[in-house]
Amino acid sequence: MIFFVYGAFSEKATKIINGVTTPKGFYVFKFDKNGTKLWESINAIASKDFFEKTHTSSRLQINLLEYKKDLIFSVSVNDFTEFSYSTKVDKLTGSISKINFIEYNNTTSNLKNKAFINNSYVSDEFKNKVFSQMTFVAMIVNPNVMSYVKSVSKDGKKLYYESIICDEGIWLVETDNKESYKILFFKD
């Protein structure tokens, strides 16, 4: 049995006041069933000044997901300007590869309490399409997800996307939240 411990870190230890934190990077530790540390991976995140700002910790969505022979570490923020950062972490060594960053502007906050995060990622292929933060990560991790989403017809109907990333592949849910639901599975 293997255990992974992960999270975000700051440059120096500070007291979190009102849930506000200033993260500078992330870490992943791998332990065996006896608690022996097998490796550690500590990484700064350089991204368009994001980690120079303070954030309410409740607005940080941090995930570590198993995806094939790798782990996918992601951190997303739901704030005035949203972003999703993801990177592949090799399960055997802890080495980092394929670092990606997507920044997008949130134009309407009234959908934030629902299952999907509304955004205005400005591109013709994404017009009238609403993505969860994990769907942005899925589009980064598997280019076939991105290709599919771009290929969906723009008939004026707003579509919502949610993703589940797992060891076997990526599940993508596409819906208009009224009458149409489609579930797709993407395997490399």
Side-chain angles (χ1 to χ4, degrees):
M1 185 170 285
I2 300 294
F3 298 95
F4 295 98
V5 176
Y6 64 97
F9 67 85
S10 296
E11 283 182 344
K12 60 182 180 176
T14 58
K15 186 175 186 178
I16 296 176
I17 301 169
N18 297 326
V20 174
T21 184
T22 308
K24 297 293 181 191
F26 72 96
Y27 60 87
V28 180
F29 298 122
K30 180 179 180 179
F31 296 93
D32 67 14
K33 67 180 181 179
N34 299 316
T36 304
K37 183 170 63 172
L38 302 175
W39 54 254
E40 67 180 45
S41 183
I42 301 173
N43 307 280
I45 296 179
S47 62
K48 299 186 182 183
D49 302 325
F50 166 75
F51 281 106
E52 301 302 317
K53 301 174 185 174
T54 59
H55 298 281
T56 305
S57 57
S58 64
R59 292 187 179 205
L60 290 175
Q61 178 183 343
I62 300 173
N63 297 292
L64 186 67
L65 309 161
E66 289 190 78
Y67 182 69
K68 307 199 183 241
K69 67 180 182 8
D70 295 310
L71 300 169
I72 303 297
F73 175 86
S74 72
V75 60
S76 300
V77 169
N78 183 6
D79 214 333
F80 297 112
T81 298
E82 299 183 34
F83 84 92
S84 290
Y85 167 92
S86 70
T87 188
K88 285 187 178 181
V89 181
D90 186 284
K91 280 186 195 178
L92 296 176
T93 65
S95 62
I96 301 297
S97 65
K98 197 172 181 179
I99 297 170
N100 293 284
F101 177 86
I102 294 178
E103 185 173 334
Y104 45 97
N105 292 324
N106 186 342
T107 57
T108 54
S109 60
N110 61 341
L111 294 180
K112 284 186 179 180
N113 295 327
K114 296 186 180 176
F116 300 91
I117 308 300
N118 199 2
N119 63 74
S120 63
Y121 192 84
V122 181
S123 169
D124 284 343
E125 296 96 351
F126 294 147
K127 190 173 183 175
N128 292 328
K129 296 175 184 172
V130 179
F131 306 95
S132 70
Q133 293 165 328
M134 288 312 297
T135 301
F136 278 118
V137 174
M139 288 189 288
I140 290 168
V141 169
N142 187 329
N144 295 328
V145 176
M146 176 75 83
S147 295
Y148 170 77
V149 169
K150 285 183 175 183
S151 74
V152 174
S153 172
K154 301 174 283 218
D155 61 0
K157 180 169 50 170
K158 190 175 254 188
L159 294 173
Y160 299 83
Y161 293 90
E162 179 62 89
S163 296
I164 298 170
I165 299 171
C166 63
D167 207 18
E168 294 79 26
I170 297 173
W171 292 95
L172 179 70
V173 177
E174 175 185 284
T175 180
D176 65 0
N177 278 343
K178 293 177 185 167
E179 57 191 38
S180 166
Y181 290 89
K182 190 175 192 179
I183 299 174
L184 302 130
F185 183 67
F186 293 86
K187 222 175 164 175
D188 285 341

